[in-house]
Amino acid sequence: MGTQLSLEKNKNRLLLFILLLALFVRLWVFPVVFSNGNITLLGADTYYHARRILVTVFHFPDVLAFDSYLDFPYGATIGWPPLYDQFIALLALIIGFGKPSFYTIEAITAIVPPVFGVLTVLLVFLISEKLFDLRVGLISAGIFAITPAHAYISFLGYADHHVAETLLSTAAYLFFIIALKRLQKNNISFGNFRGSILRNSLFPALTGITLALSIFTWDGAPIFVGLIGMYIPIQFVIDRKLQRNSDSLVITGGVAFLVSLLIITPVALSHGRGFEINSYLPTLFHVGFLSVFFFLCMLLGAMQRMQFKKWWYHPLLLMLIFIAAVSFLKIFSPQFYQSTANGIRYLFGGGILATIEEAVPLFNTAAGAFTLDNVWRAYTLSFFVALISFIYFIYKTIQEKYPFEGVFLIVWTLIVLTLTILQRRFIYLLAVNVAIFSAYFVLTAAKAFASEREKETTKKKRKVQRTSNSAFSKELIVVLLLFILLSAPDIAVIKSMATEDIAAPDADLRESFDWLRENSPPTSYYYTPDKPAEYGVMSWWDYGNWILYLSQRPVVANNFQTGIDDAAHFLITPDEEAANEILSKRKVRFIITDAKMLKLKFQSIAMSAGKNPEDYYGIKQPSDMPPIPSGDNENKKFFDTMLSQLHVFDGSAQLYVFNDSVLLHVFDGGVGLGHYRLIYESKTSAIRVPDIKYVKIFEYVPGATISGKTDGDIEVTANIMTNQGRTFTYTQRAISRNGKYEIKVPYSTRGNVYGTKSQGDYTIRNANVSKIVPVNEQDVQEGRELAVDLI
């Protein structure tokens, strides 16, 4: 009793401290996000949210539903619902008095996530208090405040919609639990519809409103609807077995789904796209999905009044109805059936998702090996503690005759746990459950310890009182010790995330993207992207959103996996003509490569192009050649790819084999690239010998054609100095045919506007003759032909 009174007295102070702690850890990245008068957002999808928010400010309330700067030049529809971006854009407009500056828009975009994160901590407290008591509420909020999985998605600057998903889903479950409690307490039934039901419909309606808001925020929100929809028949069957009334259950669910339907249906009918599941606005799929669960509640209400001899007739009848309904939909509404099936398959991952890090199963590495690293980085010790606690809680729920709060928490946890095991993208949703069950473990362990100590005392009244106070003290000590034990590794991981493992463009990438924006011709329609712009940028999809936002240029491939097929085939092909066809089709002018594509991302690139990554490693050469050592065992096929020809060899004819620090061997006999010229490279050297910079930007040009008569094969060279002062010799070779030659060169020796320049004119030679050839910038850009005879 003393414990509870003390906590009640200090509840607000303790809760305020927890919320301030939550805010502090989410602002840990402040020096990274706000520095030198600039704002650096974290993540990758964050940058597309920033783009949509920026455009929405100019066109409020309209949000991009189609973007010609994606999948260039075709454009792509945006599957993200609009509410998150609209909300931030509206805040920016209010704070900026209708005309917010670019800095204000970015600042609001960066600040919203930690605010949402702290609000979610408050909701975790409230829901834990409703499910258990004040003590579990405070402990779970404290643990959740420093759970890395949630801290990460609510960091300052991490403006992705994931934090809103957790906020809205937790709010929906909180309202649903409060609604059930109130309706059960007031003994609400169908017999008193006009009176009690209407007076107690606030929280069921709030549940429905929150579910609708989540649908306008995240295309995966049907998961939240389905979770409640799956719980209701499970609890109904349990109630039938125990002969309990289920009116409050089906009324709460029915009102919630009906309210969501009333909000969603007008939008779906006027703006939706058939039965699409990933849509900018709700579609008939969402209407159908909500309708299924609404009518399920009505069905359960009717079934409760059926006088079955055996309780198990109810689940049997539900199973038969389910099979019949699925068969009916498959025949009479194949679009709805297919959309639902596609959504379920999506949850299991596979396909192109296998190449996306966040879609890999929880206990797998990207290569498929078992690992606990993902769990540790998300929850540290709390996951294992929560798992033990969850198993014990299931036992206690059975012992206590399946109270609805316990069953709901079990169903909720099992569904989210399953989703997270299948794809670790859902790891932040499970963070709520991990925090709740970790708190339950802490309190249960503390109470067990105090109870054990109390048993050792005398039964005399005075001694019992002294022992009770002692038990309270020891219980509090155990709680504090366990909390410290759980929180210490959490803080360590969050610190690492905030200082060492920043998910944002590093200095080389940021400077490169900024350079492209400032030194390439501006493209049209950036703020009204309904038409194709003049040209696009080719890079791997991981960099697409960064390039789009920071360089303000259209991209072929971005983080939505649009354009990924052409990007992968371009990077991995050994054939310049095939690469040219892709770039010409895609109207590409600039190509951005970096060292991570060669090392960390090459496997995904190869797989996306339908190739076996293992074919690019290991010695594959004629048996009469001596073995060539290599640091990572890349073979000639690896170095023949366009990615290597560009980033490693600068489009020149020399072929190197090297490890991280030493040049080991030089192949001779390559021909070089005629349409690609290096125009920029970043400061940092990814490899020292040969000197290969971290980021490089190339321009795809028509190239000047040098042709004429020759009495043998020819070679053309030019000495190039990059913007970083590095020098290399560009070499291009051509074979004589019938006494004539023709060769493409991409660098101009006169009139070049870039920092990477030729240090003199081209030298063109055959075995007998050598000549100096100047090439103007117009020659390169217009594909002019220059006649030079070598006889």
Side-chain angles (χ1 to χ4, degrees):
M1 180 64 69
T3 306
Q4 193 69 22
L5 289 174
S6 177
L7 286 176
E8 287 286 354
K9 182 179 178 181
N10 296 285
K11 169 183 172 181
N12 292 336
R13 293 177 182 176
L14 289 170
L15 187 56
L16 178 61
F17 173 78
I18 291 169
L19 296 179
L20 290 175
L21 173 65
L23 182 61
F24 171 78
V25 299
R26 284 154 180 79
L27 296 181
W28 215 330
V29 293
F30 185 91
V32 176
V33 178
F34 289 89
S35 62
N36 300 321
N38 295 318
I39 297 175
T40 299
L41 300 175
L42 310 182
D45 286 352
T46 295
Y47 281 80
Y48 195 79
H49 275 294
R51 166 166 169 72
R52 282 225 301 183
I53 292 164
L54 183 64
V55 174
T56 303
V57 167
F58 288 103
H59 303 282
F60 192 85
D62 293 338
V63 181
L64 284 180
F66 174 86
D67 193 343
S68 64
Y69 270 56
L70 300 179
D71 199 14
F72 188 79
Y74 311 127
T77 56
I78 312 303
W80 289 347
L83 186 59
Y84 180 75
D85 299 320
Q86 283 175 320
F87 176 78
I88 297 177
L90 179 60
L91 277 181
L93 285 167
I94 293 172
I95 294 172
F97 300 102
K99 293 183 178 180
S101 66
F102 183 80
Y103 188 88
T104 299
I105 297 169
E106 279 199 333
I108 300 302
T109 300
I111 291 169
V112 164
V115 174
F116 278 9
V118 172
L119 289 175
T120 309
V121 174
L122 177 60
L123 290 176
V124 169
F125 163 75
L126 294 172
I127 202 169
S128 301
E129 185 182 35
K130 293 297 179 183
L131 289 168
F132 297 99
D133 58 27
L134 176 61
R135 293 170 297 178
V136 176
L138 289 169
I139 298 170
S140 62
I143 293 173
F144 186 73
I146 54 174
T147 297
H150 187 263
Y152 179 79
I153 65 162
S154 52
F155 269 156
L156 178 74
Y158 194 89
D160 207 339
H161 54 257
H162 299 321
V163 66
E165 297 166 32
T166 313
L167 175 70
L168 290 171
S169 61
T170 307
Y173 303 150
L174 172 64
F175 293 144
F176 182 71
I177 290 168
I178 294 174
L180 279 177
K181 277 181 170 288
R182 291 199 171 192
L183 266 66
Q184 284 195 352
K185 180 181 178 180
N186 296 330
N187 197 26
I188 304 303
S189 67
F190 281 106
N192 192 10
F193 182 81
R194 293 185 178 179
S196 298
I197 291 180
L198 294 179
R199 286 198 303 270
N200 290 274
S201 62
L202 172 62
F203 284 97
L206 286 175
T207 304
I209 292 170
T210 310
L211 289 176
L213 291 176
S214 70
I215 291 172
F216 282 106
T217 303
W218 182 44
D219 52 14
I223 293 171
F224 308 147
V225 176
L227 191 150
I228 294 176
M230 291 178 66
Y231 159 73
I232 289 173
I234 291 171
Q235 185 67 60
F236 177 84
V237 170
I238 292 172
D239 289 347
R240 299 284 62 70
K241 182 178 180 180
L242 300 178
Q243 298 182 347
R244 295 192 302 222
N245 187 285
S246 298
D247 279 359
S248 59
L249 175 72
V250 296
I251 289 171
T252 300
V255 171
F257 296 134
L258 179 60
V259 169
S260 284
L261 268 172
L262 293 175
I263 297 171
I264 294 297
T265 301
V267 179
L269 292 177
S270 59
H271 296 97
R273 301 184 181 124
F275 286 89
E276 288 184 27
I277 190 170
N278 296 322
S279 176
Y280 163 72
L281 288 173
T283 67
L284 294 178
F285 166 79
H286 299 88
V287 174
F289 197 71
L290 286 164
S291 298
V292 166
F293 290 114
F294 172 72
F295 286 113
L296 173 64
C297 290
M298 298 302 98
L299 174 65
L300 295 179
M303 287 177 59
Q304 182 177 236
R305 282 145 184 80
M306 297 180 183
Q307 300 299 319
F308 290 149
K309 293 182 179 180
K310 304 290 185 181
W311 71 268
W312 51 265
Y313 285 0
H314 290 88
L316 179 61
L317 179 59
L318 284 173
M319 183 64 68
L320 293 174
I321 292 173
F322 174 77
I323 294 172
V326 170
S327 301
F328 177 86
L329 289 175
K330 192 172 183 180
I331 297 171
F332 296 101
S333 186
Q335 289 179 304
F336 179 67
Y337 172 84
Q338 192 59 50
S339 294
T340 305
N342 289 341
I344 294 172
R345 279 194 292 269
Y346 175 81
L347 298 177
F348 284 87
I352 190 64
L353 294 175
T355 66
I356 305 173
E357 185 176 356
E358 67 177 13
V360 173
L362 178 64
F363 296 107
N364 283 14
T365 64
F370 177 81
T371 181
L372 290 175
D373 289 349
N374 303 322
V375 171
W376 182 261
R377 293 281 297 169
Y379 316 113
T380 69
L381 291 173
S382 295
F383 179 84
F384 307 101
V385 167
L387 191 60
I388 296 170
S389 179
F390 179 53
I391 295 170
Y392 176 72
F393 182 76
I394 294 175
Y395 167 77
K396 289 286 291 182
T397 301
I398 295 172
Q399 291 293 106
E400 295 172 2
K401 303 298 183 183
Y402 306 96
F404 82 88
E405 303 100 320
V407 176
F408 178 76
L409 184 55
I410 291 170
V411 172
W412 172 15
T413 303
L414 282 174
I415 291 174
V416 180
L417 177 62
T418 301
L419 292 176
T420 306
I421 291 173
L422 292 173
Q423 293 188 53
R424 63 174 181 255
R425 69 166 72 240
F426 300 110
I427 210 163
Y428 52 87
L429 292 177
L430 184 62
V432 176
N433 307 72
V434 168
I436 291 172
F437 280 110
S438 295
Y440 181 67
F441 175 90
V442 168
L443 189 61
T444 302
K447 288 169 64 177
F449 179 83
S451 177
E452 189 65 30
R453 297 289 298 174
E454 190 172 344
K455 290 179 182 178
E456 298 174 2
T457 65
T458 178
K459 293 184 179 180
K460 292 182 179 180
K461 185 174 182 180
R462 181 182 298 177
K463 290 186 177 181
V464 169
Q465 182 63 42
R466 288 202 304 266
T467 303
S468 177
N469 294 333
S470 175
F472 162 60
S473 300
K474 294 186 185 314
E475 179 181 322
L476 180 60
I477 291 171
V478 173
V479 167
L480 290 176
L481 286 175
L482 287 175
F483 183 82
I484 292 171
L485 179 65
L486 294 176
S487 62
D490 283 351
I491 293 294
V493 170
I494 293 173
K495 182 180 178 182
S496 174
M497 288 177 171
T499 57
E500 300 172 13
D501 304 326
I502 297 295
D506 58 34
D508 282 74
L509 285 169
R510 180 68 186 253
E511 290 172 7
S512 301
F513 300 148
D514 289 344
W515 182 92
L516 183 63
R517 183 186 67 251
E518 295 166 1
N519 294 275
S520 62
T523 51
S524 306
Y525 314 116
Y526 182 73
Y527 292 102
T528 54
D530 54 353
K531 300 176 184 178
E534 291 79 4
Y535 64 84
V537 177
M538 173 67 80
S539 190
W540 189 229
W541 65 263
D542 292 19
Y543 307 92
N545 287 345
W546 292 341
I547 296 168
L548 176 59
Y549 184 76
L550 296 173
S551 298
Q552 297 185 2
R553 299 295 182 267
V555 292
V556 172
N558 82 316
N559 303 69
F560 305 155
Q561 288 78 57
T562 59
I564 188 172
D565 186 64
D566 278 344
H569 280 89
F570 167 79
L571 292 169
I572 210 163
T573 183
D575 183 358
E576 183 180 3
E577 289 188 11
N580 296 345
E581 288 180 6
I582 294 172
L583 296 195
S584 297
K585 176 183 71 173
R586 288 288 188 164
K587 298 183 179 179
V588 168
R589 181 168 178 177
F590 298 102
I591 304 100
I592 301 179
T593 61
D594 82 335
K596 286 185 178 180
M597 295 185 196
L598 292 167
K599 297 293 183 181
L600 301 178
K601 303 179 185 296
F602 187 82
Q603 182 178 2
S604 294
I605 293 171
M607 291 174 61
S608 298
K611 306 294 183 181
N612 182 358
E614 295 180 4
D615 291 343
Y616 297 84
Y617 299 89
I619 302 302
K620 290 179 173 60
Q621 58 189 22
S623 59
D624 59 340
M625 292 182 65
I628 301 168
S630 173
D632 289 320
N633 206 29
E634 298 97 341
N635 58 40
K636 188 175 183 299
K637 186 172 182 178
F638 177 91
F639 292 114
D640 281 344
T641 64
M642 283 295 294
L643 174 59
S644 290
Q645 290 185 66
L646 290 171
H647 199 82
V648 178
F649 312 127
D650 301 311
S652 189
Q654 289 82 10
L655 299 177
Y656 301 95
V657 178
F658 55 89
N659 65 14
D660 285 344
S661 59
V662 181
L663 175 63
L664 298 173
H665 189 83
V666 178
F667 281 108
D668 196 14
V671 297
L673 303 178
H675 292 273
Y676 302 83
R677 62 179 182 183
L678 179 68
I679 58 173
Y680 172 91
E681 63 182 10
S682 63
K683 298 176 182 177
T684 308
S685 294
I687 298 172
R688 294 184 181 276
V689 181
D691 187 6
I692 299 177
K693 301 301 183 182
Y694 181 47
V695 184
K696 295 185 179 183
I697 301 178
F698 298 86
E699 185 177 18
Y700 174 57
V701 293
T705 302
I706 305 175
S707 62
K709 299 177 182 179
T710 181
D711 57 3
D713 296 345
I714 67 103
E715 179 181 81
V716 61
T717 59
N719 294 321
I720 308 296
M721 178 179 287
T722 74
N723 58 298
Q724 298 299 342
R726 179 178 66 91
T727 59
F728 67 93
T729 299
Y730 170 78
T731 303
Q732 175 76 294
R733 298 187 178 98
I735 298 173
S736 168
R737 300 184 186 278
N738 300 320
K740 296 181 179 181
Y741 77 92
E742 182 177 289
I743 192 167
K744 287 277 189 182
V745 292
Y747 291 92
S748 59
T749 62
R750 307 198 180 167
N752 189 345
V753 296
Y754 299 116
T756 298
K757 297 178 182 293
S758 170
Q759 297 304 291
D761 292 329
Y762 284 99
T763 299
I764 186 166
R765 64 175 66 86
N766 58 23
N768 302 311
V769 180
S770 175
K771 290 188 177 182
I772 302 299
V773 181
V775 175
N776 293 318
E777 180 68 11
Q778 292 83 356
D779 298 333
V780 170
Q781 292 292 354
E782 298 175 13
R784 294 177 180 176
E785 186 169 338
L786 307 175
V788 179
D789 292 335
L790 294 173
I791 55 174

